[in-house]
Amino acid sequence: MQFYSTNDASHKVGLAEAIFRGLPADNGLYMPERIDPLPLSFFEELPSLSFAEIGFRVTQHLLGDDVPAEELKALVYDAVNFPAPVVRLDERRSVLELFHGPSLAFKDFGARFMSRLMGHFNRGNDKQLVILVATSGDTGGAVAAGFYQTPGIEVVILYPKGKVSELQEKQLTTLGHNIHALEIEGTFDDCQAIVKRAFLDEELRSQIRLSSANSINISRLIPQSFYYFEAYKQLATKDPVAFCIPSGNFGNLTAGLLAMKMGLPVSQFIAATNRNDVVPEYLKSGNYRPRPSVPTLSNAMDVGAPSNFARMLNLYGQVSGLDPHDPATHAAMSKVVTGYAYDDHQTEDTVREVEQKFGYTIDPHGAVGYLALTEWQRDNPNVQGVILETAHPSKFKPDVERILGRAIEVPERLAELAFREKVSTEFGTAFEPVRQWLLKRYT
Ligand SMILES: *Cc1c(COP(=O)(O)O)cnc(C)c1O
């Protein structure tokens, strides 16, 4: 399979280059050249397929023979080693729990798949690959857990000292082996600036094979399409389903659009956001106005310029392709995706309401999704809806406990991190000392 840049369809690269590069040089995003419908036999067999087998077949269908079948199967089965259960709230509404992985959020799917795919293409290369990432908390945890003990790959994570939660810090600093945490006395932006400098440093790059684990990497998107098929299987329905996706950078929603292109019967995608409502506003008005984000309770969705919007435009772009203000593009996209936005007050009320009505503890991101699905179903009462529950409520423990007025449980795998010893290397905001550290360690 070839991948093209959303900024220039004639710029094409193979799978390995797309994942190691991450971003095309023209600042677009990689997209698969073709997304064909899965064969009818896939849907006939779906009820009897395991989640991992679904992942394998979808990947093989999408990527063709870029990875030999036996290896691809082993790789996907290893990446998809935890479930994504659908939990029913009532006859029309369900929650798809995406938080059963190591870092308790859906990003584990992307990180685990990406690490194994990179590991595959990296084999036989005697120079180790160094993944450099800056994190404000969440992404780092998923990347650390996802790449832990991947042969031939070292991971260096930069995080702002004192600015991530204690459990988040433990996720970055207690694994050891090939995972290294650099604690930067500064902000997330300082961490990101250091990473950017490293990628621009030709001399450094001539000595160390550097790559990123950015959320825009196409290899993180592919596995996020698996759980749409898995949810459909668990619902055991013949009718199209509505998927409601609490969204920030719109990677999850874009992966749903890929699943639909591959033939999944979807009635509607519902984009749910907090007050950072650039996309719902666009879907309603046709006006695309990216702007600085505002902080909210559902902070993993605090995004003012969603990076995957270019991919969404590309899927529905008509005459003038990437122009959001092209009426045909807007019409095509808003037929498939509907958007709703809610504030923190509504989110808090909903966390309480879902607990009272269904005895289900939903996290603030899922609560925004619940609101949007419920609103959409007012006009579409006969369609089954699935809310993607993107993280475990204990990831936002202080807020959820305050809202519910009671203690909530932290899953064992996260709770035990509190007792592990933190190991990190401290730096200021200057690039040179980090550069020297990298050179000393990896050359
Ligand atoms: C990353 C994240 C989101 C946003 O997902 P996108 O794919 O960027 O839209 C939503 N909820 C949680 C908990 C997340 O970690």
Side-chain angles (χ1 to χ4, degrees), residues 31-32 34-38 58 61-62 218 221-225 228-229 251-264 269 311 315-316:
M31 278 293 268
R34 289 205 344 259
I35 308 162
D36 297 326
L38 282 146
V58 169
H61 171 74
L62 205 56
I218 186 71
L221 216 56
I222 292 167
Q224 289 174 214
S225 67
Y228 288 91
F229 295 99
N252 237 349
L253 197 141
T254 304
L257 298 175
L258 298 186
M260 190 181 179
K261 281 230 158 190
M262 286 187 268
L264 186 70
F269 285 101
R311 286 193 168 116
L315 286 168
Y316 295 100

PDB file of all heavy atoms in Angstrom, residues 31-32 34-38 58 61-62 218 221-225 228-229 251-264 269 311 315-316:
ATOM      1  N   MET A  31      -2.108   9.459   4.066  1.00  0.00           N
ATOM      2  CA  MET A  31      -3.377   8.735   3.946  1.00  0.00           C
ATOM      3  C   MET A  31      -3.169   7.540   3.032  1.00  0.00           C
ATOM      4  O   MET A  31      -2.400   7.626   2.064  1.00  0.00           O
ATOM      5  CB  MET A  31      -4.452   9.633   3.309  1.00  0.00           C
ATOM      6  CG  MET A  31      -5.124  10.587   4.256  1.00  0.00           C
ATOM      7  SD  MET A  31      -6.131   9.742   5.483  1.00  0.00           S
ATOM      8  CE  MET A  31      -7.712   9.736   4.667  1.00  0.00           C
ATOM      9  N   PRO A  32      -3.874   6.420   3.322  1.00  0.00           N
ATOM     10  CA  PRO A  32      -3.756   5.274   2.404  1.00  0.00           C
ATOM     11  C   PRO A  32      -4.305   5.644   1.027  1.00  0.00           C
ATOM     12  O   PRO A  32      -5.330   6.319   0.923  1.00  0.00           O
ATOM     13  CB  PRO A  32      -4.613   4.184   3.052  1.00  0.00           C
ATOM     14  CG  PRO A  32      -5.253   4.783   4.246  1.00  0.00           C
ATOM     15  CD  PRO A  32      -4.750   6.164   4.448  1.00  0.00           C
ATOM     16  N   ARG A  34      -5.691   3.826  -1.235  1.00  0.00           N
ATOM     17  CA  ARG A  34      -7.016   3.267  -1.512  1.00  0.00           C
ATOM     18  C   ARG A  34      -7.600   2.692  -0.223  1.00  0.00           C
ATOM     19  O   ARG A  34      -6.888   2.099   0.573  1.00  0.00           O
ATOM     20  CB  ARG A  34      -6.913   2.141  -2.539  1.00  0.00           C
ATOM     21  CG  ARG A  34      -6.595   2.641  -3.940  1.00  0.00           C
ATOM     22  CD  ARG A  34      -7.082   1.670  -5.034  1.00  0.00           C
ATOM     23  NE  ARG A  34      -7.392   0.346  -4.540  1.00  0.00           N
ATOM     24  CZ  ARG A  34      -6.575  -0.715  -4.673  1.00  0.00           C
ATOM     25  NH1 ARG A  34      -5.395  -0.579  -5.241  1.00  0.00           N
ATOM     26  NH2 ARG A  34      -6.945  -1.893  -4.233  1.00  0.00           N
ATOM     27  N   ILE A  35      -8.894   2.900  -0.040  1.00  0.00           N
ATOM     28  CA  ILE A  35      -9.588   2.265   1.083  1.00  0.00           C
ATOM     29  C   ILE A  35     -10.790   1.543   0.490  1.00  0.00           C
ATOM     30  O   ILE A  35     -11.834   2.140   0.241  1.00  0.00           O
ATOM     31  CB  ILE A  35     -10.038   3.298   2.132  1.00  0.00           C
ATOM     32  CG1 ILE A  35      -8.858   4.188   2.557  1.00  0.00           C
ATOM     33  CG2 ILE A  35     -10.637   2.611   3.360  1.00  0.00           C
ATOM     34  CD1 ILE A  35      -9.263   5.474   3.242  1.00  0.00           C
ATOM     35  N   ASP A  36     -10.620   0.258   0.224  1.00  0.00           N
ATOM     36  CA  ASP A  36     -11.685  -0.519  -0.420  1.00  0.00           C
ATOM     37  C   ASP A  36     -12.582  -1.166   0.625  1.00  0.00           C
ATOM     38  O   ASP A  36     -12.154  -1.415   1.745  1.00  0.00           O
ATOM     39  CB  ASP A  36     -11.063  -1.631  -1.281  1.00  0.00           C
ATOM     40  CG  ASP A  36     -10.225  -1.055  -2.406  1.00  0.00           C
ATOM     41  OD1 ASP A  36     -10.592   0.022  -2.918  1.00  0.00           O
ATOM     42  OD2 ASP A  36      -9.198  -1.672  -2.750  1.00  0.00           O
ATOM     43  N   PRO A  37     -13.816  -1.482   0.230  1.00  0.00           N
ATOM     44  CA  PRO A  37     -14.684  -2.215   1.157  1.00  0.00           C
ATOM     45  C   PRO A  37     -14.134  -3.625   1.416  1.00  0.00           C
ATOM     46  O   PRO A  37     -13.567  -4.243   0.515  1.00  0.00           O
ATOM     47  CB  PRO A  37     -16.022  -2.303   0.418  1.00  0.00           C
ATOM     48  CG  PRO A  37     -15.930  -1.366  -0.726  1.00  0.00           C
ATOM     49  CD  PRO A  37     -14.483  -1.153  -1.035  1.00  0.00           C
ATOM     50  N   LEU A  38     -14.297  -4.092   2.634  1.00  0.00           N
ATOM     51  CA  LEU A  38     -13.921  -5.467   2.970  1.00  0.00           C
ATOM     52  C   LEU A  38     -14.855  -6.418   2.226  1.00  0.00           C
ATOM     53  O   LEU A  38     -15.999  -6.057   1.916  1.00  0.00           O
ATOM     54  CB  LEU A  38     -14.060  -5.683   4.477  1.00  0.00           C
ATOM     55  CG  LEU A  38     -12.929  -5.104   5.332  1.00  0.00           C
ATOM     56  CD1 LEU A  38     -13.453  -4.610   6.662  1.00  0.00           C
ATOM     57  CD2 LEU A  38     -11.852  -6.160   5.538  1.00  0.00           C
ATOM     58  N   VAL A  58      -8.549  -6.687   9.084  1.00  0.00           N
ATOM     59  CA  VAL A  58      -8.680  -5.291   8.648  1.00  0.00           C
ATOM     60  C   VAL A  58      -7.314  -4.768   8.193  1.00  0.00           C
ATOM     61  O   VAL A  58      -7.185  -4.130   7.139  1.00  0.00           O
ATOM     62  CB  VAL A  58      -9.265  -4.410   9.773  1.00  0.00           C
ATOM     63  CG1 VAL A  58      -9.149  -2.929   9.424  1.00  0.00           C
ATOM     64  CG2 VAL A  58     -10.722  -4.773  10.034  1.00  0.00           C
ATOM     65  N   HIS A  61      -6.251  -6.352   4.907  1.00  0.00           N
ATOM     66  CA  HIS A  61      -7.054  -5.783   3.819  1.00  0.00           C
ATOM     67  C   HIS A  61      -6.519  -4.407   3.414  1.00  0.00           C
ATOM     68  O   HIS A  61      -6.396  -4.088   2.238  1.00  0.00           O
ATOM     69  CB  HIS A  61      -8.503  -5.684   4.289  1.00  0.00           C
ATOM     70  CG  HIS A  61      -9.383  -4.917   3.354  1.00  0.00           C
ATOM     71  ND1 HIS A  61      -9.821  -5.425   2.155  1.00  0.00           N
ATOM     72  CD2 HIS A  61      -9.892  -3.664   3.437  1.00  0.00           C
ATOM     73  CE1 HIS A  61     -10.572  -4.530   1.545  1.00  0.00           C
ATOM     74  NE2 HIS A  61     -10.623  -3.442   2.298  1.00  0.00           N
ATOM     75  N   LEU A  62      -6.169  -3.627   4.434  1.00  0.00           N
ATOM     76  CA  LEU A  62      -5.735  -2.249   4.199  1.00  0.00           C
ATOM     77  C   LEU A  62      -4.308  -2.178   3.659  1.00  0.00           C
ATOM     78  O   LEU A  62      -4.008  -1.409   2.751  1.00  0.00           O
ATOM     79  CB  LEU A  62      -5.836  -1.476   5.513  1.00  0.00           C
ATOM     80  CG  LEU A  62      -6.015   0.026   5.462  1.00  0.00           C
ATOM     81  CD1 LEU A  62      -7.230   0.406   4.639  1.00  0.00           C
ATOM     82  CD2 LEU A  62      -6.162   0.575   6.877  1.00  0.00           C
ATOM     83  N   ILE A 218       0.266   7.594  10.818  1.00  0.00           N
ATOM     84  CA  ILE A 218      -0.795   6.776  10.220  1.00  0.00           C
ATOM     85  C   ILE A 218      -0.913   5.412  10.918  1.00  0.00           C
ATOM     86  O   ILE A 218      -1.992   4.825  10.988  1.00  0.00           O
ATOM     87  CB  ILE A 218      -0.584   6.617   8.684  1.00  0.00           C
ATOM     88  CG1 ILE A 218      -1.768   5.897   8.026  1.00  0.00           C
ATOM     89  CG2 ILE A 218       0.710   5.906   8.342  1.00  0.00           C
ATOM     90  CD1 ILE A 218      -3.035   6.692   7.949  1.00  0.00           C
ATOM     91  N   LEU A 221      -3.491   5.392  13.596  1.00  0.00           N
ATOM     92  CA  LEU A 221      -4.884   5.490  13.151  1.00  0.00           C
ATOM     93  C   LEU A 221      -5.466   4.122  12.788  1.00  0.00           C
ATOM     94  O   LEU A 221      -6.623   3.823  13.097  1.00  0.00           O
ATOM     95  CB  LEU A 221      -4.919   6.396  11.915  1.00  0.00           C
ATOM     96  CG  LEU A 221      -6.116   7.302  11.743  1.00  0.00           C
ATOM     97  CD1 LEU A 221      -6.306   8.188  12.950  1.00  0.00           C
ATOM     98  CD2 LEU A 221      -5.927   8.153  10.488  1.00  0.00           C
ATOM     99  N   ILE A 222      -4.648   3.310  12.120  1.00  0.00           N
ATOM    100  CA  ILE A 222      -5.151   2.033  11.592  1.00  0.00           C
ATOM    101  C   ILE A 222      -5.800   1.165  12.683  1.00  0.00           C
ATOM    102  O   ILE A 222      -6.948   0.741  12.516  1.00  0.00           O
ATOM    103  CB  ILE A 222      -4.022   1.282  10.837  1.00  0.00           C
ATOM    104  CG1 ILE A 222      -3.673   2.059   9.561  1.00  0.00           C
ATOM    105  CG2 ILE A 222      -4.431  -0.147  10.505  1.00  0.00           C
ATOM    106  CD1 ILE A 222      -2.384   1.603   8.889  1.00  0.00           C
ATOM    107  N   PRO A 223      -5.122   0.923  13.827  1.00  0.00           N
ATOM    108  CA  PRO A 223      -5.747   0.036  14.827  1.00  0.00           C
ATOM    109  C   PRO A 223      -6.980   0.655  15.478  1.00  0.00           C
ATOM    110  O   PRO A 223      -7.794  -0.062  16.054  1.00  0.00           O
ATOM    111  CB  PRO A 223      -4.624  -0.178  15.854  1.00  0.00           C
ATOM    112  CG  PRO A 223      -3.739   1.005  15.703  1.00  0.00           C
ATOM    113  CD  PRO A 223      -3.773   1.355  14.257  1.00  0.00           C
ATOM    114  N   GLN A 224      -7.121   1.971  15.385  1.00  0.00           N
ATOM    115  CA  GLN A 224      -8.300   2.589  15.973  1.00  0.00           C
ATOM    116  C   GLN A 224      -9.565   2.288  15.162  1.00  0.00           C
ATOM    117  O   GLN A 224     -10.668   2.546  15.629  1.00  0.00           O
ATOM    118  CB  GLN A 224      -8.084   4.102  16.125  1.00  0.00           C
ATOM    119  CG  GLN A 224      -7.091   4.411  17.221  1.00  0.00           C
ATOM    120  CD  GLN A 224      -6.733   5.885  17.327  1.00  0.00           C
ATOM    121  OE1 GLN A 224      -5.612   6.222  17.654  1.00  0.00           O
ATOM    122  NE2 GLN A 224      -7.674   6.765  17.041  1.00  0.00           N
ATOM    123  N   SER A 225      -9.378   1.748  13.960  1.00  0.00           N
ATOM    124  CA  SER A 225     -10.574   1.353  13.204  1.00  0.00           C
ATOM    125  C   SER A 225     -11.077  -0.022  13.648  1.00  0.00           C
ATOM    126  O   SER A 225     -12.245  -0.336  13.460  1.00  0.00           O
ATOM    127  CB  SER A 225     -10.276   1.347  11.701  1.00  0.00           C
ATOM    128  OG  SER A 225      -9.358   0.313  11.390  1.00  0.00           O
ATOM    129  N   TYR A 228     -14.317  -0.316  15.975  1.00  0.00           N
ATOM    130  CA  TYR A 228     -15.648  -0.028  15.417  1.00  0.00           C
ATOM    131  C   TYR A 228     -16.291  -1.336  14.928  1.00  0.00           C
ATOM    132  O   TYR A 228     -17.477  -1.571  15.146  1.00  0.00           O
ATOM    133  CB  TYR A 228     -15.536   0.977  14.268  1.00  0.00           C
ATOM    134  CG  TYR A 228     -15.208   2.384  14.735  1.00  0.00           C
ATOM    135  CD1 TYR A 228     -13.889   2.820  14.844  1.00  0.00           C
ATOM    136  CD2 TYR A 228     -16.218   3.272  15.085  1.00  0.00           C
ATOM    137  CE1 TYR A 228     -13.582   4.107  15.269  1.00  0.00           C
ATOM    138  CE2 TYR A 228     -15.931   4.562  15.509  1.00  0.00           C
ATOM    139  CZ  TYR A 228     -14.601   4.973  15.596  1.00  0.00           C
ATOM    140  OH  TYR A 228     -14.314   6.240  16.021  1.00  0.00           O
ATOM    141  N   PHE A 229     -15.500  -2.189  14.277  1.00  0.00           N
ATOM    142  CA  PHE A 229     -16.016  -3.494  13.837  1.00  0.00           C
ATOM    143  C   PHE A 229     -16.335  -4.376  15.046  1.00  0.00           C
ATOM    144  O   PHE A 229     -17.342  -5.073  15.068  1.00  0.00           O
ATOM    145  CB  PHE A 229     -14.986  -4.201  12.939  1.00  0.00           C
ATOM    146  CG  PHE A 229     -14.729  -3.479  11.639  1.00  0.00           C
ATOM    147  CD1 PHE A 229     -13.624  -2.658  11.483  1.00  0.00           C
ATOM    148  CD2 PHE A 229     -15.608  -3.619  10.574  1.00  0.00           C
ATOM    149  CE1 PHE A 229     -13.389  -1.990  10.284  1.00  0.00           C
ATOM    150  CE2 PHE A 229     -15.387  -2.954   9.368  1.00  0.00           C
ATOM    151  CZ  PHE A 229     -14.272  -2.141   9.223  1.00  0.00           C
ATOM    152  N   GLY A 251      -8.602  11.981  15.671  1.00  0.00           N
ATOM    153  CA  GLY A 251      -8.013  10.746  15.170  1.00  0.00           C
ATOM    154  C   GLY A 251      -9.006   9.602  15.277  1.00  0.00           C
ATOM    155  O   GLY A 251      -9.206   8.834  14.325  1.00  0.00           O
ATOM    156  N   ASN A 252      -9.626   9.485  16.429  1.00  0.00           N
ATOM    157  CA  ASN A 252     -10.596   8.413  16.635  1.00  0.00           C
ATOM    158  C   ASN A 252     -11.723   8.496  15.619  1.00  0.00           C
ATOM    159  O   ASN A 252     -12.131   7.491  15.043  1.00  0.00           O
ATOM    160  CB  ASN A 252     -11.176   8.534  18.051  1.00  0.00           C
ATOM    161  CG  ASN A 252     -10.969   7.264  18.846  1.00  0.00           C
ATOM    162  OD1 ASN A 252     -10.587   6.228  18.311  1.00  0.00           O
ATOM    163  ND2 ASN A 252     -11.245   7.355  20.129  1.00  0.00           N
ATOM    164  N   LEU A 253     -12.242   9.671  15.414  1.00  0.00           N
ATOM    165  CA  LEU A 253     -13.348   9.817  14.469  1.00  0.00           C
ATOM    166  C   LEU A 253     -12.893   9.495  13.047  1.00  0.00           C
ATOM    167  O   LEU A 253     -13.586   8.818  12.290  1.00  0.00           O
ATOM    168  CB  LEU A 253     -13.959  11.216  14.543  1.00  0.00           C
ATOM    169  CG  LEU A 253     -15.348  11.278  13.907  1.00  0.00           C
ATOM    170  CD1 LEU A 253     -16.278  12.171  14.717  1.00  0.00           C
ATOM    171  CD2 LEU A 253     -15.296  11.755  12.465  1.00  0.00           C
ATOM    172  N   THR A 254     -11.703   9.946  12.686  1.00  0.00           N
ATOM    173  CA  THR A 254     -11.178   9.643  11.349  1.00  0.00           C
ATOM    174  C   THR A 254     -11.029   8.137  11.150  1.00  0.00           C
ATOM    175  O   THR A 254     -11.344   7.604  10.081  1.00  0.00           O
ATOM    176  CB  THR A 254      -9.828  10.355  11.126  1.00  0.00           C
ATOM    177  OG1 THR A 254     -10.013  11.757  11.332  1.00  0.00           O
ATOM    178  CG2 THR A 254      -9.299  10.132   9.723  1.00  0.00           C
ATOM    179  N   ALA A 255     -10.589   7.437  12.206  1.00  0.00           N
ATOM    180  CA  ALA A 255     -10.475   5.977  12.118  1.00  0.00           C
ATOM    181  C   ALA A 255     -11.854   5.351  11.896  1.00  0.00           C
ATOM    182  O   ALA A 255     -11.990   4.349  11.180  1.00  0.00           O
ATOM    183  CB  ALA A 255      -9.834   5.419  13.385  1.00  0.00           C
ATOM    184  N   GLY A 256     -12.889   5.940  12.470  1.00  0.00           N
ATOM    185  CA  GLY A 256     -14.256   5.474  12.236  1.00  0.00           C
ATOM    186  C   GLY A 256     -14.664   5.678  10.782  1.00  0.00           C
ATOM    187  O   GLY A 256     -15.309   4.818  10.174  1.00  0.00           O
ATOM    188  N   LEU A 257     -14.257   6.798  10.216  1.00  0.00           N
ATOM    189  CA  LEU A 257     -14.567   7.064   8.806  1.00  0.00           C
ATOM    190  C   LEU A 257     -13.884   6.031   7.905  1.00  0.00           C
ATOM    191  O   LEU A 257     -14.458   5.577   6.910  1.00  0.00           O
ATOM    192  CB  LEU A 257     -14.138   8.483   8.409  1.00  0.00           C
ATOM    193  CG  LEU A 257     -14.833   9.646   9.145  1.00  0.00           C
ATOM    194  CD1 LEU A 257     -14.217  10.981   8.740  1.00  0.00           C
ATOM    195  CD2 LEU A 257     -16.340   9.659   8.871  1.00  0.00           C
ATOM    196  N   LEU A 258     -12.661   5.628   8.296  1.00  0.00           N
ATOM    197  CA  LEU A 258     -11.972   4.575   7.535  1.00  0.00           C
ATOM    198  C   LEU A 258     -12.767   3.270   7.617  1.00  0.00           C
ATOM    199  O   LEU A 258     -12.948   2.574   6.616  1.00  0.00           O
ATOM    200  CB  LEU A 258     -10.551   4.331   8.067  1.00  0.00           C
ATOM    201  CG  LEU A 258      -9.534   5.463   8.011  1.00  0.00           C
ATOM    202  CD1 LEU A 258      -8.161   4.967   8.457  1.00  0.00           C
ATOM    203  CD2 LEU A 258      -9.419   6.055   6.619  1.00  0.00           C
ATOM    204  N   ALA A 259     -13.249   2.948   8.831  1.00  0.00           N
ATOM    205  CA  ALA A 259     -14.037   1.717   9.005  1.00  0.00           C
ATOM    206  C   ALA A 259     -15.280   1.749   8.112  1.00  0.00           C
ATOM    207  O   ALA A 259     -15.648   0.750   7.495  1.00  0.00           O
ATOM    208  CB  ALA A 259     -14.426   1.543  10.475  1.00  0.00           C
ATOM    209  N   MET A 260     -15.913   2.909   8.036  1.00  0.00           N
ATOM    210  CA  MET A 260     -17.101   3.037   7.200  1.00  0.00           C
ATOM    211  C   MET A 260     -16.744   2.844   5.721  1.00  0.00           C
ATOM    212  O   MET A 260     -17.455   2.162   4.981  1.00  0.00           O
ATOM    213  CB  MET A 260     -17.728   4.411   7.419  1.00  0.00           C
ATOM    214  CG  MET A 260     -19.085   4.586   6.784  1.00  0.00           C
ATOM    215  SD  MET A 260     -19.647   6.267   7.123  1.00  0.00           S
ATOM    216  CE  MET A 260     -21.207   6.254   6.274  1.00  0.00           C
ATOM    217  N   LYS A 261     -15.612   3.422   5.320  1.00  0.00           N
ATOM    218  CA  LYS A 261     -15.154   3.227   3.939  1.00  0.00           C
ATOM    219  C   LYS A 261     -14.870   1.757   3.655  1.00  0.00           C
ATOM    220  O   LYS A 261     -14.961   1.302   2.517  1.00  0.00           O
ATOM    221  CB  LYS A 261     -13.870   4.034   3.674  1.00  0.00           C
ATOM    222  CG  LYS A 261     -14.134   5.497   3.418  1.00  0.00           C
ATOM    223  CD  LYS A 261     -13.432   5.956   2.146  1.00  0.00           C
ATOM    224  CE  LYS A 261     -14.120   7.203   1.623  1.00  0.00           C
ATOM    225  NZ  LYS A 261     -13.673   7.596   0.304  1.00  0.00           N
ATOM    226  N   MET A 262     -14.501   1.030   4.710  1.00  0.00           N
ATOM    227  CA  MET A 262     -14.224  -0.405   4.539  1.00  0.00           C
ATOM    228  C   MET A 262     -15.513  -1.221   4.630  1.00  0.00           C
ATOM    229  O   MET A 262     -15.469  -2.445   4.670  1.00  0.00           O
ATOM    230  CB  MET A 262     -13.188  -0.873   5.564  1.00  0.00           C
ATOM    231  CG  MET A 262     -11.773  -0.393   5.248  1.00  0.00           C
ATOM    232  SD  MET A 262     -10.526  -1.104   6.348  1.00  0.00           S
ATOM    233  CE  MET A 262     -10.450   0.116   7.639  1.00  0.00           C
ATOM    234  N   GLY A 263     -16.633  -0.538   4.718  1.00  0.00           N
ATOM    235  CA  GLY A 263     -17.905  -1.246   4.598  1.00  0.00           C
ATOM    236  C   GLY A 263     -18.722  -1.382   5.868  1.00  0.00           C
ATOM    237  O   GLY A 263     -19.795  -1.992   5.851  1.00  0.00           O
ATOM    238  N   LEU A 264     -18.250  -0.858   6.981  1.00  0.00           N
ATOM    239  CA  LEU A 264     -19.020  -0.984   8.223  1.00  0.00           C
ATOM    240  C   LEU A 264     -20.333  -0.189   8.102  1.00  0.00           C
ATOM    241  O   LEU A 264     -20.313   0.974   7.706  1.00  0.00           O
ATOM    242  CB  LEU A 264     -18.196  -0.439   9.404  1.00  0.00           C
ATOM    243  CG  LEU A 264     -18.843  -0.639  10.772  1.00  0.00           C
ATOM    244  CD1 LEU A 264     -18.833  -2.113  11.166  1.00  0.00           C
ATOM    245  CD2 LEU A 264     -18.122   0.178  11.849  1.00  0.00           C
ATOM    246  N   PHE A 269     -21.940   9.422  12.216  1.00  0.00           N
ATOM    247  CA  PHE A 269     -20.900   9.708  13.202  1.00  0.00           C
ATOM    248  C   PHE A 269     -21.288  10.983  13.928  1.00  0.00           C
ATOM    249  O   PHE A 269     -21.692  11.967  13.291  1.00  0.00           O
ATOM    250  CB  PHE A 269     -19.535   9.882  12.543  1.00  0.00           C
ATOM    251  CG  PHE A 269     -18.931   8.584  12.098  1.00  0.00           C
ATOM    252  CD1 PHE A 269     -18.981   8.208  10.761  1.00  0.00           C
ATOM    253  CD2 PHE A 269     -18.340   7.719  13.016  1.00  0.00           C
ATOM    254  CE1 PHE A 269     -18.450   6.992  10.344  1.00  0.00           C
ATOM    255  CE2 PHE A 269     -17.807   6.511  12.610  1.00  0.00           C
ATOM    256  CZ  PHE A 269     -17.868   6.144  11.272  1.00  0.00           C
ATOM    257  N   ARG A 311      -7.327  15.204   7.262  1.00  0.00           N
ATOM    258  CA  ARG A 311      -7.675  13.872   6.748  1.00  0.00           C
ATOM    259  C   ARG A 311      -9.177  13.769   6.482  1.00  0.00           C
ATOM    260  O   ARG A 311      -9.606  13.166   5.502  1.00  0.00           O
ATOM    261  CB  ARG A 311      -7.263  12.799   7.760  1.00  0.00           C
ATOM    262  CG  ARG A 311      -5.766  12.549   7.810  1.00  0.00           C
ATOM    263  CD  ARG A 311      -5.439  11.271   8.573  1.00  0.00           C
ATOM    264  NE  ARG A 311      -4.045  10.873   8.391  1.00  0.00           N
ATOM    265  CZ  ARG A 311      -3.150  10.819   9.376  1.00  0.00           C
ATOM    266  NH1 ARG A 311      -3.489  11.130  10.612  1.00  0.00           N
ATOM    267  NH2 ARG A 311      -1.911  10.441   9.126  1.00  0.00           N
ATOM    268  N   LEU A 315     -11.089  12.966   2.861  1.00  0.00           N
ATOM    269  CA  LEU A 315     -12.033  11.877   2.601  1.00  0.00           C
ATOM    270  C   LEU A 315     -13.297  12.387   1.919  1.00  0.00           C
ATOM    271  O   LEU A 315     -13.955  11.670   1.192  1.00  0.00           O
ATOM    272  CB  LEU A 315     -12.400  11.171   3.913  1.00  0.00           C
ATOM    273  CG  LEU A 315     -11.316  10.265   4.494  1.00  0.00           C
ATOM    274  CD1 LEU A 315     -11.673   9.850   5.925  1.00  0.00           C
ATOM    275  CD2 LEU A 315     -11.145   9.031   3.621  1.00  0.00           C
ATOM    276  N   TYR A 316     -13.658  13.645   2.187  1.00  0.00           N
ATOM    277  CA  TYR A 316     -14.914  14.166   1.640  1.00  0.00           C
ATOM    278  C   TYR A 316     -14.709  15.304   0.660  1.00  0.00           C
ATOM    279  O   TYR A 316     -15.678  15.858   0.164  1.00  0.00           O
ATOM    280  CB  TYR A 316     -15.852  14.559   2.783  1.00  0.00           C
ATOM    281  CG  TYR A 316     -16.223  13.316   3.543  1.00  0.00           C
ATOM    282  CD1 TYR A 316     -15.589  12.990   4.737  1.00  0.00           C
ATOM    283  CD2 TYR A 316     -17.125  12.419   2.988  1.00  0.00           C
ATOM    284  CE1 TYR A 316     -15.870  11.789   5.375  1.00  0.00           C
ATOM    285  CE2 TYR A 316     -17.407  11.226   3.615  1.00  0.00           C
ATOM    286  CZ  TYR A 316     -16.773  10.918   4.809  1.00  0.00           C
ATOM    287  OH  TYR A 316     -17.031   9.737   5.411  1.00  0.00           O
TER     288      TYR A 316
END
